Amino acid sequence: MSMGAATFIPVPAASLPVVNNSEDFVLDPGDAKLAQKHARWAISALEYDDVNTAIENLQKAIQVLRPYKQG
């Protein structure tokens, strides 16, 4: 089975989780930037069908954001 280029499938906004914007929730801009960097690297890896690198970078992004998880 031949692996072709990865296809991006957009997610409708209605299916995204609602973010609680309470005053006590502050996402550090440095952490946000770092998580975005890892997410971009994951997307780039998928453009080259490099699933392992994509997963590693998504996990790094999640690790940065996990302390901010509410509920």
Side-chain angles (χ1 to χ4, degrees), residues 35-56:
Q36 290 171 351
K37 177 179 79 170
H38 287 300
R40 281 192 303 271
W41 287 355
I43 292 167
S44 179
L46 288 174
E47 291 175 1
Y48 295 95
D49 296 328
D50 187 351
V51 175
N52 291 337
T53 300
I55 290 171
E56 288 172 16

Side-chain angles (χ1 to χ4, degrees), residues 2-71:
S2 175
M3 297 295 290
T7 302
F8 174 73
I9 301 172
V11 177
S15 66
L16 295 175
V18 176
V19 176
N20 181 1
N21 289 325
S22 65
E23 293 179 20
D24 60 343
F25 175 76
V26 178
L27 177 59
D28 179 82
D31 286 342
K33 189 169 188 159
L34 181 59
Q36 290 171 351
K37 177 179 79 170
H38 287 300
R40 281 192 303 271
W41 287 355
I43 292 167
S44 179
L46 288 174
E47 291 175 1
Y48 295 95
D49 296 328
D50 187 351
V51 175
N52 291 337
T53 300
I55 290 171
E56 288 172 16
N57 280 289
L58 289 171
Q59 288 173 333
K60 288 176 183 179
I62 290 169
Q63 184 177 356
V64 170
L65 297 173
R66 185 158 281 139
Y68 299 98
K69 183 179 178 188
Q70 297 178 352

